[in-house]
Amino acid sequence: MELFGTEWMNAYQQQWNGAPEVAGALANSGFSTTIGVGFPEDPEPKAYVRVEQGMIVYAGAYDGSELHWDMRATPEQWEKWQDSPPGMVGLGSAVALGRLKFFAGDYATMIKNPALAGPFVKSFGLMGKVTA
């Protein structure tokens, strides 16, 4: 299954929406946003999700929508995180070392907010549950 392809994004949406530690926690905060994902060398993200009240209501190819968050890493780094999801320290290191780049969004502010930080870290763990 192609990373961030339609099938992958649909499977990720199912994982996210079925995870109370992510969707439920974000719903309790009234969290709504758009999050792009992709590769740093590309002019646009490969895909994105639209989150409303903690639940992903759209997951698929990037269509030019305004993004609140745009996270980029190399395909190899994304695959590594699928195999071994990072924790809080691992994500902090990835940002500091440039392995995870934010083209939109404020990582420092988000990670200091407990209502967002926990679900953010756990959302990387869901990537490893996406299977063909």
Side-chain angles (χ1 to χ4, degrees):
M1 175 177 338
E2 177 190 0
L3 181 65
F4 304 138
T6 301
E7 187 180 5
W8 194 97
M9 292 300 293
N10 288 334
Y12 185 69
Q13 178 179 6
Q14 291 175 354
Q15 290 296 326
W16 176 298
N17 288 346
E21 69 276 15
V22 176
L26 293 173
N28 289 338
S29 300
F31 185 74
S32 297
T33 196
T34 53
I35 306 166
V37 290
F39 313 119
E41 67 278 357
D42 292 341
E44 297 182 331
K46 178 125 174 100
Y48 83 109
V49 297
R50 187 171 55 250
V51 178
E52 293 180 6
Q53 300 298 312
M55 301 291 283
I56 293 179
V57 297
Y58 171 84
Y62 180 65
D63 61 6
S65 294
E66 178 184 355
L67 298 173
H68 300 116
W69 302 92
D70 183 358
M71 301 183 300
R72 312 283 185 96
T74 64
E76 297 79 18
Q77 186 64 59
W78 287 117
E79 289 171 11
K80 179 180 175 185
W81 287 329
Q82 276 191 281
D83 293 338
S84 180
M88 189 76 70
V89 173
L91 283 174
S93 295
V95 171
L97 296 171
R99 292 185 186 127
L100 177 62
K101 298 179 183 196
F102 283 79
F103 285 37
D106 183 355
Y107 172 79
T109 299
M110 181 269 303
I111 210 70
K112 291 176 187 173
N113 180 340
L116 300 180
F120 174 70
V121 171
K122 291 173 182 168
S123 72
F124 280 78
L126 298 176
M127 291 180 182
K129 295 180 179 184
V130 174
T131 58

